[in-house]
Amino acid sequence: MNSIAEGEGRSDGAPESPELSTNGQPSTDVVYQTLSNHRRRSVLRALLASEQLTVRELTAYVAARECNVPVPSLEYKQRKRVYTSLVQTHLPTMAKNGVVDYDKSRGTVARTDATAAFAPYLDEQLVETTVSAPVWSMRYIALAASFAVVVALGWLGVPPLGSMPGFVYGGLFAGVLAVTAGVHLRSERLAAEADGSDRNAARTRDWQFWRRTG
């Protein structure tokens, strides 16, 4: 039982085959099997917050939650380990049971009518962590573009920029970049702390579920 609850599936790597969903709702066996694995619970949380995700986005979300780090801080090995287990075991099993809609050819995963049945046991409000990297990338690009505009105006002699010495430009750019990086770092730390709190809340709900069904 423990190998199923916390492992990656059967020892031979093949998906388990409990009783399939009936009348659009997952059976007790499907609910138990799905919630018994932390990565499958993370998949459900992500899809309860977003109707459809790519496998890449889902991998980043699950790995960040599992490692308790922001998505930009994930290492390749951490992503690869989660990706392999998702595409080889968890997503095929969940799709077979009707819990998710997994399109392997397109590389997407979407919720189904049965996904909502798991909401009472999960906290489904964390998927926004997967978009922090592109949001901050756009901010840094905008900052670089602003610097380029300032330099161009100074080169053209537009007052007062045309009369400013080079070290003033350097100090201005360094100061703005330092402030932006500080805000970025603080936002990542706050996101990591919030993720940790949500993990503890999810564990409490999972324990309550096992007490009700045990």
Side-chain angles (χ1 to χ4, degrees):
M1 178 62 188
N2 291 337
S3 63
I4 296 178
E6 295 299 333
E8 304 305 328
R10 288 168 42 180
S11 59
D12 59 4
E16 307 92 335
S17 300
E19 180 183 352
L20 298 180
S21 304
T22 58
N23 299 326
Q25 295 297 318
S27 67
T28 302
D29 287 344
V30 169
V31 172
Y32 186 87
Q33 181 205 61
T34 303
L35 293 178
S36 68
N37 184 276
H38 66 94
R39 286 179 179 169
R40 294 177 191 177
R41 294 196 298 270
S42 293
V43 169
L44 289 171
R45 290 187 180 101
L47 292 178
L48 286 169
S50 183
E51 185 174 358
Q52 178 173 293
L53 294 168
T54 65
V55 174
R56 180 179 180 181
E57 291 170 335
L58 193 57
T59 297
Y61 171 80
V62 174
R65 186 178 182 87
E66 182 175 306
C67 299
N68 197 24
V69 297
V71 170
S73 300
L74 285 170
E75 298 178 357
Y76 171 78
K77 291 183 178 179
Q78 294 171 325
R79 292 176 183 262
K80 181 65 175 179
R81 181 170 62 247
V82 172
Y83 174 84
T84 300
S85 70
L86 289 182
V87 300
Q88 290 187 357
T89 302
H90 300 306
L91 293 180
T93 297
M94 297 174 76
K96 183 176 181 179
N97 293 336
V99 178
V100 302
D101 182 8
Y102 174 40
D103 190 330
K104 185 176 181 180
S105 61
R106 296 179 56 193
T108 59
V109 185
R111 69 170 70 134
T112 66
D113 293 339
T115 308
F118 296 89
Y121 309 108
L122 302 168
D123 183 349
E124 64 277 13
Q125 300 178 352
L126 293 177
V127 77
E128 66 271 10
T129 57
T130 62
V131 300
S132 60
V135 167
W136 278 102
S137 297
M138 293 301 298
R139 289 172 180 172
Y140 282 116
I141 291 175
L143 187 62
S146 300
F147 288 168
V149 171
V150 171
V151 171
L153 293 176
W155 182 75
L156 292 174
V158 177
L161 299 177
S163 59
M164 291 173 57
F167 72 86
V168 175
Y169 284 101
L172 176 64
F173 294 164
V176 173
L177 184 60
V179 171
T180 304
V183 173
H184 186 181
L185 179 61
R186 178 174 174 77
S187 68
E188 288 188 351
R189 288 179 176 175
L190 291 175
E193 291 174 0
D195 182 72
S197 298
D198 290 329
R199 285 169 64 109
N200 291 334
R203 288 171 181 166
T204 300
R205 293 186 182 185
D206 293 336
W207 169 243
Q208 292 172 347
F209 168 75
W210 301 126
R211 292 190 65 183
R212 288 198 298 270
T213 59

